[in-house]
């Protein structure tokens, strides 16, 4: 049975009522759940799969703000529902996903009638906001070569990762050419090996 923990915060009768009106929506890889400027129709609750939320700057470069996996709540949607503003980013399905879409009216009702649900939503919002503040700090105050090395070090234990230079540029919010140049410099230093759509780590990266 499909399940999302935020609904467990509700009183039994309210939870049963909410579940009776929710049907899981299935989205395939590449599906865009919302775009920048779209009005918020409701709160997505991810049941399984993976959805990334990313923003496109005036330069055309993109950056991943956060990802939502099973049991996650869409922080951007919470903000839009509370302010009435449209989205400032887009959400794209990375791995086929199933989602409960809580419509605005039901969201308002649950926030009004359940203090535990309200607290759970605000705690989720606060945790994600903290993550986004760390991202802002990284982008604003850390050099790109340092950010790239930090990103790679976090994944060096995998031995190899499948990712294109363009995809990595989106992760870091920079241009593909910048990522390619920095990766080639790391390869020259013997810290990794580059192949088409793949990065192989050497022992030097984890020392």
């Amino acid at each position: 049975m499909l399940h999302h923990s935020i609904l467990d915060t509700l009183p039994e009768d309210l939870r049963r009522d909410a579940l009776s009106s929710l049907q899981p929506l299935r989205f395939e890889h590449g599906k865009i759940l919302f775009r920048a400027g779209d009005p918020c129709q409701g709160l997505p609750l991810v049941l399984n799969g993976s959805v990334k939320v990313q923003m496109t700057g005036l330069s055309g470069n993109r950056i991943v703000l956060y990802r939502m996996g099973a049991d996650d709540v869409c922080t951007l949607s919470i903000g839009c529902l509370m302010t009435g503003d449209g989205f400032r980013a887009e959400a794209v399905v990375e791995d086929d996903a199933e989602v409960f879409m809580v419509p605005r009216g039901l969201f308002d009702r649950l926030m009004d009638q359940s203090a535990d649900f309200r607290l759970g939503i605000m705690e989720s919002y606060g945790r994600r906001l903290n993550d986004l503040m760390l991202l802002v700090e990284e982008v604003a105050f850390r050099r790109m070569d340092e950010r790239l090395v930090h990103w790679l070090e976090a994944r060096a234990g995998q031995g190899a990762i499948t990712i294109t230079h363009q995809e990595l540029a989106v992760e870091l919010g920079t241009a593909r050419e910048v990522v390619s140049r920095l990766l080639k410099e790391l390869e020259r230093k013997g810290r990794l090996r580059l192949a088409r759509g793949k990065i192989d780590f050497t022992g030097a990266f984890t020392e």
Side-chain angles (χ1 to χ4, degrees), residues 12 15 47 81 83:
E12 179 59 30
R15 185 177 73 87
L47 305 171
L81 284 168
T83 64

Side-chain angles (χ1 to χ4, degrees), residues 32-101:
I32 297 178
L33 299 188
F34 55 76
R35 302 178 186 271
D38 286 351
C40 186
Q41 302 297 330
L43 177 66
L45 303 178
V46 179
L47 305 171
N48 54 55
S50 176
V51 179
K52 68 177 177 181
V53 177
Q54 60 188 21
M55 178 177 283
T56 303
L58 294 177
S59 65
N61 293 335
R62 291 177 176 170
I63 185 169
V64 174
L65 300 178
Y66 59 88
R67 285 181 166 82
M68 297 183 289
D71 231 27
D72 279 338
V73 178
C74 181
T75 306
L76 197 62
S77 295
I78 296 172
C80 291
L81 284 168
M82 291 193 296
T83 64
D85 294 334
F87 289 108
R88 297 181 62 87
E90 66 177 7
V92 184
V93 177
E94 283 193 305
D95 300 316
D96 292 358
E98 290 183 284
V99 176
F100 277 152
M101 182 62 71

Side-chain angles (χ1 to χ4, degrees), residues 1-3 19 21-27 45 47-48 97-101:
M1 182 177 178
L2 295 173
H3 171 266
L19 285 171
S21 64
L22 296 174
Q23 293 295 325
L25 303 175
R26 295 172 175 82
F27 300 104
L45 303 178
L47 305 171
N48 54 55
E98 290 183 284
V99 176
F100 277 152
M101 182 62 71

